[in-house]
């Protein structure tokens, strides 16, 4: 679509596919073009559109691809393309198969994506689940568009909570427990912190263990490593089930050796100063200062993040570093980015907080630790899969149980991901199981069924090698081709705004059009010529659905 807009000299106009052919194939809102010149602004919108149209019609490229241009509304133009031009585009799309939309560039840009990042010794939260799903989708899409992507899991694996944990652990009888679970660790922590509140002895003990750990005390390091392993094994189970892959696991502990240098440099360069014996970077706009070393000499989350910026800039030379973190940390990232710039570590423009909202339960209440009750992610995933199993049971009662389970897993996990990715990441999202698994609505199973249905048609015919695109001339076929042409632009929209829901919206539209297509047109029973062309179209739709869902991390099924 962008290409067409370019050819038509409409680079700056808002350019859209029109839902009904009687109003054109594309419509363009000329507002931005009109208001960008002083001269044009004086012309009323209607008149401007009229003049603009006349100018366009003089262009050779425009004449070549359009049949008709009409003014519409205040400052709008409607375009009808020549069928041959649309059909020619389809040949290109068809040839690309599952590579349609994939970008090959020589000079690769690099993006570091910081996502998932759960904390050691605590089960992953739903916020981490959102970060994981959104971060992975962004990674996939950037990579597909030709970027070098670095997925980095910035684990919360260091800090004073480990002193508390180690102290609690040493007092407990868990030391000899064989299969220590992450929940055990969390309970230890919760219990000890509660007791610590009115017991300064316990507090001192915890502080002492932290110090020992920081000094590299053998026993404490060994315990810490054990906690690390238990936690990571647990996280990796979640990653495996969700199909998540990282290039690096550079947790907070990795940056320990760099922290002192960060603070010394910040003080030297004048960005930081000492205030009440803490090292702080002052902020403007009445924001609290960014503390990078506490009065007791301890470093913080903030110091680690500055070190991580320094390290990433040097090691990966990225064009962009993306932090997929909930919007509760907005202030932290605002201050972090300002500080990084003042320290000369990175330009603010290269750092972006891709924030997201909360996960709410069915009744839109905050879905979280109700009176200490933790919602485990395994539980959420199991629930999604068991509900999806009911769907599979209804649709395919005769399948073998193992087969049904496989379908349920694909649909359930897909539903979970799609529920997240189909909504603007900034909004709070809800778990509405009915909606998430609704076969008629905007849901993963709806898209997965649309794909499977196309595949079941395609299985009944030989793969198309040759076809005549001129047969693709009905309104719905034309609209589908226009939609397929738009796929690369939609991906660019995602990479420009870090908003994967644009892709989800697009795929939903494509699936709806696909369903309409074989309601309206015969495919297998069509006459020779039409049959091959329509099969080719079905093949291209299926390929793009699969590619698009795959980028969102959602698997397809050949049959459901
Ligand atoms: N572990 C942190 C948390 O759970 C998130 C880390 C985000 N990444 C970062 N570079 N600060 O809150």
């Amino acid at each position: 679509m962008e290409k067409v807009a370019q050819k038509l000299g409409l680079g700056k106009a808002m350019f859209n596919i029109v839902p009904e052919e009687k109003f054109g194939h594309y419509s363009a809102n000329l507002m931005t073009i009109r208001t960008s010149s002083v001269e044009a602004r004086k012309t009323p919108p209607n008149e401007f559109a009229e003049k603009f149209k006349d100018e366009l019609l003089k262009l050779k490229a425009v004449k070549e691809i359009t049949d008709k241009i009409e003014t519409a509304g205040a400052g709008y133009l409607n375009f009808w393309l020549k069928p041959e031009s649309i059909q020619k585009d389809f040949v290109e799309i068809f040839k690309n198969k599952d590579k349609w939309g994939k970008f090959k560039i020589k000079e690769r840009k690099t993006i570091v994506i910081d996502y998932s990042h759960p904390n050691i010794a605590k089960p992953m939260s739903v916020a981490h689940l959102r970060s994981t799903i959104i971060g992975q989708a962004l990674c996939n899409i950037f990579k597909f568009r030709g970027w070098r992507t670095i997925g980095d899991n910035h684990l919360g694996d260091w800090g004073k909570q480990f002193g508390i944990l180690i102290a609690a652990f040493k007092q407990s009888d868990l030391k000899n427990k064989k299969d220590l679970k992450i929940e055990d660790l969390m309970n230890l922590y919760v219990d000890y912190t509660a007791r610590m509140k009115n017991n300064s002895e316990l507090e001192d003990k915890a502080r002492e263990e932290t110090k020992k750990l920081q000094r590299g005390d053998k026993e404490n390091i060994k315990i810490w490593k054990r906690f690390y392993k238990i936690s990571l094994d647990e996280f990796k189970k979640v990653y495996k089930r969700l199909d998540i892959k990282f290039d690096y696991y550079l947790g907070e502990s990795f940056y320990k050796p760099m922290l002192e240098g960060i603070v010394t440099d910040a003080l030297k360069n004048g960005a930081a100063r000492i205030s009440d014996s803490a090292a702080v970077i002052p902020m403007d706009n009445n924001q609290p200062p960014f503390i990078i070393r506490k009065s007791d000499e301890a470093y913080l989350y903030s110091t680690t993040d500055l070190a991580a910026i320094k390290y990433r800039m040097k090691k990966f030379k990225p064009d962009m570093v993306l932090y997929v973190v909930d919007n509760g940390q907005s202030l932290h990232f605002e201050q972090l980015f300002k500080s990084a710039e003042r320290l000369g570590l990175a330009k603010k423009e290269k750092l972006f907080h891709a924030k997201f909202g909360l996960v709410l339960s069915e009744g839109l209440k905050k879905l979280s630790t109700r009176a200490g009750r933790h919602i485990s992610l395994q539980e959420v995933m199991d629930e999604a899969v068991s509900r999806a199993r009911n769907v599979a049971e209804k649709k395919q009662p005769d399948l073998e149980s193992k087969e049904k389970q496989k379908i349920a897993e694909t649909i359930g996990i897909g539903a979970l991901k799609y529920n997240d990715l189909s909504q603007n990441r900034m909004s709070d999202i809800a778990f509405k199981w009915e909606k998430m698994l609704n076969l008629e609505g905007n849901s993963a199973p709806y898209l997965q069924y649309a794909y499977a249905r196309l595949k079941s048609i395609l299985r009944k015919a030989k793969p198309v090698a040759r076809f005549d695109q001129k047969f693709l001339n009905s309104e719905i076929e034309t609209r589908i081709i226009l939609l397929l042409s738009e796929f690369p632009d939609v991906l660019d929209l995602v990479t420009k705004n870090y908003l994967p829901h644009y892709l989800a919206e697009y795929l939903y539209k494509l699936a709806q059009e696909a369903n309409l297509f074989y309601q309206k047109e015969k495919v297998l029973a069509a006459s020779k010529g039409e049959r091959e062309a329509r099969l080719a179209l079905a093949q291209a739709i299926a390929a793009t659905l699969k590619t698009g869902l795959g980028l969102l991390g959602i698997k397809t099924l050949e049959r459901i």
Side-chain angles (χ1 to χ4, degrees), residues 114 116-119 128 154-156 252 301 305 308 312 323-326 329 332-333 336:
D114 181 322
S116 190
H117 38 233
N119 302 316
H128 295 124
H154 190 80
L155 293 169
E252 293 180 27
Y301 184 55
D305 257 334
R312 288 166 173 170
Y323 297 84
V324 188
V325 185
D326 68 279
Q329 294 195 29
H332 166 75
F333 285 106
L336 174 68

Side-chain angles (χ1 to χ4, degrees), residues 340-356:
E341 182 154 277
R342 283 197 210 152
L343 282 173
L345 299 177
K347 282 236 154 48
K348 246 175 25 197
E349 298 77 49
K350 290 197 171 187
L351 308 166
F352 189 80
H353 178 196
K355 51 184 112 171
F356 56 82

Side-chain angles (χ1 to χ4, degrees), residues 272-406:
R273 58 178 166 75
I274 300 293
S275 158
D276 290 334
S277 55
V280 305
I281 301 180
M283 292 283 133
D284 27 48
N285 307 333
N286 293 327
Q287 267 180 13
F290 200 47
I291 307 171
I292 55 174
R293 192 182 62 205
K294 290 202 296 188
S295 52
D296 67 359
E297 303 279 290
Y299 300 108
L300 300 100
Y301 184 55
S302 53
T303 331
T304 306
D305 257 334
L306 285 169
I309 291 178
K310 184 171 179 184
Y311 178 82
R312 288 166 173 170
M313 286 296 159
K314 190 156 172 246
K315 167 131 176 132
F316 306 117
K317 307 200 168 39
D319 299 277
M320 197 67 205
V321 183
L322 209 61
Y323 297 84
V324 188
V325 185
D326 68 279
N327 52 25
Q329 294 195 29
S330 295
L331 179 63
H332 166 75
F333 285 106
E334 246 179 74
Q335 300 191 319
L336 174 68
F337 299 166
K338 269 188 216 158
S339 303
E341 182 154 277
R342 283 197 210 152
L343 282 173
L345 299 177
K347 282 236 154 48
K348 246 175 25 197
E349 298 77 49
K350 290 197 171 187
L351 308 166
F352 189 80
H353 178 196
K355 51 184 112 171
F356 56 82
L358 301 169
V359 181
L360 306 169
S361 69
E362 198 108 6
L364 296 185
K365 276 181 256 107
K366 196 170 161 181
L367 185 85
S368 65
T369 47
R370 200 187 322 123
R373 197 188 115 63
H374 176 80
I375 301 184
S376 100
L377 295 190
Q378 295 289 357
E379 254 169 54
V380 175
M381 288 189 276
D382 286 344
E383 170 101 24
V385 172
S386 94
R387 284 175 186 257
R389 170 106 193 190
N390 294 338
V391 179
E393 211 75 61
K394 250 185 254 156
K395 276 264 160 190
Q396 294 268 39
D398 306 330
L399 273 187
E400 243 181 81
S401 169
K402 224 176 118 196
E403 200 58 28
K404 270 188 217 152
Q405 196 53 30
K406 210 187 110 202

